[in-house]
Amino acid sequence: MILTLAAGSLVLGLGFGFAQMGQGKGPGAGAGYAQVQTQPLSEEAKNALLEALTGPEGEYAAYAMYTAVIEKYGEVEPYVSIRKAEAKHIEALKRQLDRYGVDYPAENPYLGQVSAPESLEDAAKAWAEGEVANVAMYDRLMEAVKDYPNLVQVFDHLRAASQERHLPAFSLAAENGGTLSPEQMQELHDTFASQRGQGQGNHGGQDCQQQGQGQGHGPHGGAGPRAGSGH
């Protein structure tokens, strides 16, 4: 029960950012959605969105690999919590693809096609590297979607989750023999919650200042909801 509670707390910390997506306030709150409705998706942006979902460093592949680890080693952390977060990432990308009318494989093509490493320690090390590769993928793809504020926001959330949430979890697991205890999971959750609170406080001050100056435009009029993003 302790493990379940700790895992649930971490999922809340990892997935917090998506609870607020699409709920922007101020003059630019509807700007991104209006643009989605009127601006056709370029071929470059479409390919970037598809790669984020289906590419070898994308969200489908990550979900499948975590599934392989869980099937081989059982309900081990941080894989259980991060796989739940990956499911949210997948849905976030699918929503954008649906919005633009882009076809994509509804079923994860990597499931059952990847194998877990020989040990949990090897798995944690591999997926610490995998999160670094995922961040690099979003860095590369960001240029392709720069004219679409809503896609920039989604990619920014997913990149931040990999960099600020998943990578620290796998790095800590690698140092701990491949898994995390309930106490370590709770410590990570507390760290994420503290970072999120600091980010919201900083952004709140910026938002107030910008509203006073009339400068808060679009999804990124402030610093953006990055601090709360997590998978």
Side-chain angles (χ1 to χ4, degrees), residues 4-231:
T4 301
L5 291 173
S9 296
L10 181 60
V11 170
L12 290 176
L14 294 175
F16 177 80
F18 289 99
Q20 294 184 329
M21 289 181 65
Q23 298 179 8
K25 299 178 180 180
Y33 183 77
Q35 189 168 6
V36 168
Q37 300 304 307
T38 59
Q39 181 178 349
L41 194 64
S42 69
E43 192 69 17
E44 184 181 26
K46 181 184 77 171
N47 290 337
L49 197 52
L50 284 170
E51 182 176 346
L53 178 64
T54 66
E57 283 86 37
E59 308 303 335
Y60 265 163
Y63 184 94
M65 189 62 213
Y66 304 150
T67 298
V69 171
I70 291 169
E71 288 178 349
K72 183 172 183 177
Y73 297 104
E75 299 285 307
V76 291
E77 293 289 3
Y79 295 95
V80 172
S81 293
I82 294 182
R83 185 175 68 164
K84 290 178 181 178
E86 288 295 341
K88 295 179 184 295
H89 297 176
I90 288 169
E91 291 307 311
L93 291 171
K94 284 183 175 181
R95 281 194 295 271
Q96 297 303 320
L97 288 161
D98 288 339
R99 184 173 290 180
Y100 285 103
V102 178
D103 292 332
Y104 58 88
E107 300 298 325
N108 188 332
Y110 294 94
L111 284 173
Q113 304 302 312
V114 294
S115 301
E118 289 303 312
S119 71
L120 282 171
E121 185 174 359
D122 288 343
K125 290 177 179 177
W127 278 100
E129 295 176 1
E131 296 299 339
V132 171
N134 183 265
V135 169
M137 179 193 72
Y138 282 114
D139 285 341
R140 175 172 52 82
L141 296 181
M142 199 69 76
E143 176 68 19
V145 301
K146 65 182 180 180
D147 295 328
Y148 303 86
N150 56 302
L151 297 185
V152 169
Q153 185 180 37
V154 171
F155 280 20
D156 191 52
H157 273 274
L158 299 182
R159 182 197 181 281
S162 292
Q163 178 71 45
E164 301 168 12
R165 306 291 190 261
H166 299 180
L167 178 56
F170 283 125
S171 296
L172 182 60
E175 297 171 0
N176 195 56
T179 61
L180 295 178
S181 67
E183 292 78 14
Q184 289 170 317
M185 293 292 289
Q186 185 61 49
E187 183 178 349
L188 279 174
H189 166 66
D190 292 343
T191 299
F192 298 157
S194 175
Q195 292 173 347
R196 186 178 71 211
Q198 290 174 3
Q200 287 177 333
N202 292 337
H203 295 165
Q206 290 173 354
D207 290 342
C208 289
Q209 182 181 15
Q210 288 174 341
Q211 287 175 5
Q213 296 173 349
Q215 295 177 354
H217 299 293
H220 294 282
R226 185 183 180 94
S229 56
H231 292 245

